[in-house]
Amino acid sequence: MIYIDKTVFPHCFVKEKRFEWGEPYTDVIPIFNLSVNPELSDIEFTIEILGKNNFKSNLDKLYNILINKEEKFRLTDFNEPILDREFLVSKILTFINDNSNKIAPWDNELKIAGEEFYLEIIEDDLKKSLKFDRKIY
């Protein structure tokens, strides 16, 4: 059976399969929204990707990093100046509020891979480095 799971956000393409020996398993592939203006600054581009795809944990971390002015220490290869910190923080809060009632596929009972796994896949697809805290606490 193949279907789109709309109970999670981002929605997922789901295939129910069987191993050669007959045991069933489910293949779940998130459908990410990557339509973001490529001319945005690296940090704003990252915020858009995180927010449009319900990466709550990384949005929360990025919010704390910006509030505490720790971007140069906690974000890999981050060298750009932040000109409007309040705007970025406001944008993150908007996404956090928009996603508050949405369940991410990595947070539900299927517990597929974590956020960082998918962020690395997105980076490979976009051929662009996202600015998020890569340390897992």
Side-chain angles (χ1 to χ4, degrees), residues 19-73:
F19 289 107
E20 294 171 2
W21 56 89
E23 183 179 345
Y25 71 96
T26 305
D27 189 16
V28 180
I29 303 166
I31 304 166
F32 294 113
N33 177 356
L34 302 179
S35 62
V36 176
N37 182 352
E39 295 176 10
L40 293 174
S41 68
D42 288 346
I43 192 79
E44 199 171 351
F45 185 87
T46 298
I47 292 168
E48 289 283 325
I49 293 291
L50 296 176
K52 287 184 174 187
N53 293 291
N54 200 19
F55 287 105
K56 290 178 192 165
S57 175
N58 279 283
L59 270 175
D60 287 340
K61 285 182 192 178
L62 195 52
Y63 173 82
N64 287 327
I65 288 168
L66 290 175
I67 289 293
N68 295 321
K69 299 179 180 178
E70 298 174 332
E71 57 274 357
K72 292 190 181 185
F73 307 109

